[in-house]
Amino acid sequence: MNRNIPCEDCAARTQDTEQIGFHVTGCAPDPARPGRCILTFEEVAASAAAATAPARAQAAPAAGVTAAITPTQVAAGKAIVNIFETGEVLGDYGNVTLIAGDTGHLTFGRSQTTLGSGNLALLLQKYCANLGARFGARLKPSLPRFVAIDHSLDNDLKLQNVLRATADDPVMRETQDIFFDQTYWQPALRAAGKLGLNSPLATTVVYDGFVQGAWAAMRDRTTQSAGAPDAIGERAWITAYVATRRDWLENNVRADLRPTVYRMDAFKRLIDQGFWALGLPLLVRSQEISAATLAAMPPGCYDGPHPGSRPIALQAPLARGLDVRLVQLGLSDRGVDIHADGVFGQTSANLVKTWQAQNGHPANSVLDAAMIGELTT
């Protein structure tokens, strides 16, 4: 397997790739793309994994680490990082973001995986491989562009609308949950266990480092300056790590990273309040994490109404749902510059009116069952 990455990211990507369970075999300049390298890696053979398992178990028994954190505490920890990434407790499964200066380029999903890392391609490949993937046929032709880390995807608004729409597919939501667990949560759990960091808050801090990146570098910098966790204690080490990472973010050469000091400020507040167990309810960046919010339908995801079961028009409150999203997606397929967010607001109404006038329909911004059928088939 391979990923095409910026040459300056070789060291960091090598570290990140090995941390999620792969063996990196090389990183060499791409002769066809100056300034970029090809990182090659392979899955660790089962026999090799079995041979090293006893040593890993002795260093940090996986079962022991997992048993120390309840499912609710795990959900709370993930919710904290979801809030950091998309501002939502359950994450925003259809979130499409492009931040100026971000070397990751196009980012997508609950935990904001990036085009530049190659992880977005892996996520979409897993989704499209599922026979139940509702939008798989729409995405499959573009998979080679994701694998090649084609930066023109940053400006492909039609394809980005398809990504947004996949949030309505339970298969995509479950694929994201599994993918982000395998890519970030489980490696973070193992890394925390190896250091003797077992509290829910400490594990969440490590998880945040895996999601945002540079966990290993910040781990080493903290240990060098403050001492190892087994020498100074879990709470003192995590407190030092948060301060070290905040300083790194605040003074980072990347302008897009500097504002993200809010992540460490939120952790510092939890540390100061003694919320090491992540007992509910919690308030993080003005978002409530509670049994109710953890059990809710993820924001921006729709399981109805079925297209054609109601007319769609501008109204108060605004019409929103699966039928609106699919209509918007149909307009996007026909070249209309529309944001497929599943909400029928004034902009959507104006664009529908223009489309109606251009296609022989009464230009009234109202979509009846026939027009909805035309746009969604």
Side-chain angles (χ1 to χ4, degrees):
M1 291 178 279
N2 62 74
R3 293 178 183 171
N4 193 290
I5 62 173
C7 289
E8 64 267 22
D9 289 351
C10 270
R13 296 303 181 198
T14 295
Q15 205 168 51
D16 291 345
T17 302
E18 290 187 336
Q19 283 176 348
I20 63 175
F22 293 96
H23 171 61
V24 174
T25 57
C27 189
D30 183 348
R33 303 178 67 183
R36 299 192 67 82
C37 287
I38 299 174
L39 181 74
T40 55
F41 56 97
E42 61 188 9
E43 293 187 17
V44 177
S47 58
T52 60
R56 291 199 305 272
Q58 186 175 5
V65 172
T66 304
I69 306 178
T70 70
T72 299
Q73 290 169 324
V74 170
K78 292 177 180 178
I80 290 170
V81 177
N82 287 341
I83 291 169
F84 293 165
E85 290 292 303
T86 64
E88 301 288 351
V89 169
L90 297 176
D92 185 344
Y93 288 88
N95 188 283
V96 176
T97 304
L98 186 65
I99 301 174
D102 186 354
T103 58
H105 290 271
L106 182 69
T107 65
F108 169 71
R110 191 199 82 191
S111 294
Q112 291 290 274
T113 193
T114 67
L115 174 67
S117 69
N119 281 341
L120 179 51
L122 295 176
L123 170 65
L124 295 180
Q125 285 173 325
K126 289 180 181 294
Y127 172 68
C128 290
N130 190 302
L131 294 177
R134 180 172 188 169
F135 298 94
R138 287 176 177 264
L139 287 171
K140 279 182 181 178
S142 298
L143 287 180
R145 296 174 62 196
F146 285 97
V147 172
I149 310 183
D150 181 352
H151 293 168
S152 69
L153 290 165
D154 290 351
N155 301 306
D156 192 329
L157 303 183
K158 185 183 296 186
L159 190 58
Q160 290 173 25
N161 274 332
V162 178
L163 291 177
R164 291 186 183 95
T166 63
D168 298 335
D169 186 355
V171 172
M172 172 53 94
R173 298 199 296 271
E174 292 169 3
T175 299
Q176 287 193 35
D177 288 342
I178 294 169
F179 180 80
F180 290 130
D181 269 11
Q182 293 175 340
T183 305
Y184 302 117
W185 176 258
Q186 292 174 15
L189 196 64
R190 292 192 294 269
K194 288 178 181 178
L195 292 177
L197 307 172
N198 298 311
S199 73
L201 178 55
T203 303
T204 301
V205 170
V206 177
Y207 173 55
D208 174 75
F210 273 77
V211 171
Q212 194 181 29
W215 149 252
M218 294 299 100
R219 174 201 62 198
D220 294 345
R221 186 177 298 184
T222 302
T223 297
Q224 289 168 4
S225 63
D230 59 358
I232 67 174
E234 175 185 274
R235 296 188 180 187
W237 191 90
I238 287 294
T239 301
Y241 171 90
V242 167
T244 299
R245 189 175 182 92
R246 191 190 193 286
D247 179 73
W248 174 72
L249 290 170
E250 185 176 34
N251 298 289
N252 204 281
V253 294
R254 285 178 50 184
D256 61 302
L257 283 179
R258 293 195 288 270
T260 66
V261 294
Y262 66 79
R263 302 167 86 111
M264 298 306 105
D265 292 340
F267 279 136
K268 179 65 164 53
R269 180 174 174 80
L270 292 171
I271 290 170
D272 290 345
Q273 294 175 331
F275 292 151
W276 293 94
L278 297 184
L280 300 182
L282 293 169
L283 191 67
V284 176
R285 290 183 59 78
S286 301
Q287 294 293 313
E288 175 190 325
I289 304 175
S290 64
T293 60
L294 290 174
M297 180 74 167
C301 298
Y302 304 107
D303 56 8
H306 184 76
S309 62
R310 63 172 180 173
I312 299 175
L314 190 63
Q315 62 186 53
L318 297 177
R320 59 188 70 216
L322 178 65
D323 54 351
V324 174
R325 175 103 74 185
L326 293 178
V327 161
Q328 292 170 330
L329 196 58
L331 289 167
S332 179
D333 287 341
R334 290 158 176 79
V336 177
D337 185 11
I338 192 169
H339 188 87
D341 57 5
V343 181
F344 197 80
Q346 186 65 62
T347 298
S348 291
N350 291 341
L351 291 172
V352 164
K353 186 174 183 178
T354 300
W355 175 81
Q356 289 172 326
Q358 293 172 343
N359 290 273
H361 298 292
N364 57 11
S365 299
V366 177
L367 292 163
D368 59 20
M371 280 185 278
I372 292 172
E374 180 180 343
L375 287 168
T376 59
T377 55

